[in-house]
Amino acid sequence: MLVALYLTAGDSRYDVGRIWRSPDQQLTWTGFATFVTVMCGASLTLVTNVADICRYTPTRRDMRIGLVASSLLAAAVTTFVGGYAAAATGKTNPFVAVVDLTSSKPLLVVLAVAIVVQGIAANITNTYTSGLSLVNSVPSLGRFRATVLVAAAAVALSGFPSFVDHAQRWITHLGNVAAPLTGVILADYLLVQRARIDVPALFDPEGRYRYLNGVNAAALAAVAVGVGVYYALPQSWLKIVWGLAVGALTYLALRRLQLLAADRAPVREATSA
């Protein structure tokens, strides 16, 4: 409906030719890099619950198709619809931008309902994600109580206007952590674990995934290094790529050092004996 209003608008600002030329906007590398960093940073915050989404797919092939297709379509549709309105009017919210394009009350009602549904759906997804992350950290809470606690915290934070007025800044900060964290997870799953998880070992308190008293020290250190590099680099360096790469490479290097130390330990013990 939004695209139909764009294309049929009598407003010259919405002319397709003008939008593609975008005389009031200019493409710059810094602007592009900043946009990619913010958008990818926001998407990568979902990495903590992607496994829970994937477990509902019957095969790995379905999982890959679903994740890749949904990610690409979401990025393409939202940037086109939002970018079209922004190029025409300078307003970043397409729903607000098209209000002036129609006087049809039924259509305005439909748009109002879409805004409400969009807000509710986004908040449900965010609460679900955060609740799942919390219950993974503190299993004794249970899904229900963890989700209630997260929802209560979210409502409390919404009372502070700075979280809304400076959303891009907060999303960037989240991305600063999410990118290195994603790099570590990908490196561990694809290269260290060879895309295979030993499920029984996950529940073994002394198993291979116990690490150091239940904490993967190499992963935490790698994320910390990645976050530091992320903050140190300017936006024009496409920070999201550096965050992923530094997090992954640092983790692999630390894992290698851990393995070397573990191999030398039996030798030292044998020598002492």
Side-chain angles (χ1 to χ4, degrees):
M1 290 176 62
L2 292 175
V3 173
L5 286 173
Y6 294 163
L7 299 179
T8 58
D11 193 331
S12 60
R13 296 178 300 173
Y14 285 88
D15 290 345
V16 176
R18 181 187 180 279
I19 296 300
W20 290 122
R21 290 193 307 271
S22 298
D24 299 327
Q25 291 85 24
Q26 291 183 345
L27 177 64
T28 63
W29 172 254
T30 300
F32 171 76
T34 302
F35 170 79
V36 171
T37 296
V38 172
M39 188 168 184
C40 291
S43 300
L44 292 180
T45 58
L46 297 173
V47 73
T48 52
N49 75 320
V50 70
D52 194 64
I53 296 173
C54 292
R55 71 189 178 99
Y56 295 106
T57 56
T59 66
R60 285 175 175 262
R61 178 175 176 271
D62 294 332
M63 176 191 70
R64 295 189 184 102
I65 292 174
L67 285 176
V68 174
S70 62
S71 299
L72 293 179
L73 283 173
V77 172
T78 54
T79 52
F80 175 78
V81 174
Y84 202 110
T89 65
K91 296 178 181 179
T92 57
N93 189 325
F95 291 102
V96 174
V98 300
V99 169
D100 297 329
L101 296 182
T102 180
S103 59
S104 171
K105 291 183 179 180
L107 186 55
L108 291 174
V109 169
V110 171
L111 291 174
V113 171
I115 295 173
V116 173
V117 171
Q118 177 196 34
I120 293 175
N123 287 320
I124 288 175
T125 302
N126 291 334
T127 305
Y128 174 85
T129 302
S130 304
L132 179 63
S133 298
L134 180 59
V135 79
N136 284 338
S137 302
V138 190
S140 59
L141 285 175
R143 288 290 291 270
F144 177 76
R145 282 185 292 180
T147 304
V148 169
L149 287 174
V150 166
V155 171
L157 289 175
S158 67
F160 296 89
S162 62
F163 284 95
V164 178
D165 298 337
H166 304 288
Q168 178 173 319
R169 185 181 67 186
W170 292 111
I171 291 173
T172 300
H173 288 315
L174 289 174
N176 291 348
V177 178
L181 176 61
T182 303
V184 169
I185 291 174
L186 290 176
D188 183 72
Y189 179 67
L190 296 177
L191 301 178
V192 177
Q193 310 295 341
R194 303 294 182 183
R196 288 292 184 271
I197 299 297
D198 184 357
V199 177
L202 291 173
F203 302 93
D204 183 358
E206 303 300 329
R208 57 186 288 199
Y209 300 118
R210 181 62 181 168
Y211 301 111
L212 181 63
N213 296 322
V215 177
N216 190 337
L220 288 179
V223 171
V225 172
V227 170
V229 171
Y230 206 115
Y231 273 106
L233 294 176
Q235 292 285 6
S236 59
W237 281 45
L238 205 59
K239 296 167 64 170
I240 194 74
V241 176
W242 283 88
L244 285 165
V246 170
L249 293 176
T250 303
Y251 178 68
L252 293 175
L254 293 176
R255 281 281 302 176
R256 180 63 177 169
L257 292 176
Q258 282 182 326
L259 293 175
L260 291 175
D263 291 338
R264 291 174 181 173
V267 176
R268 288 196 297 269
E269 292 175 1
T271 303
S272 299

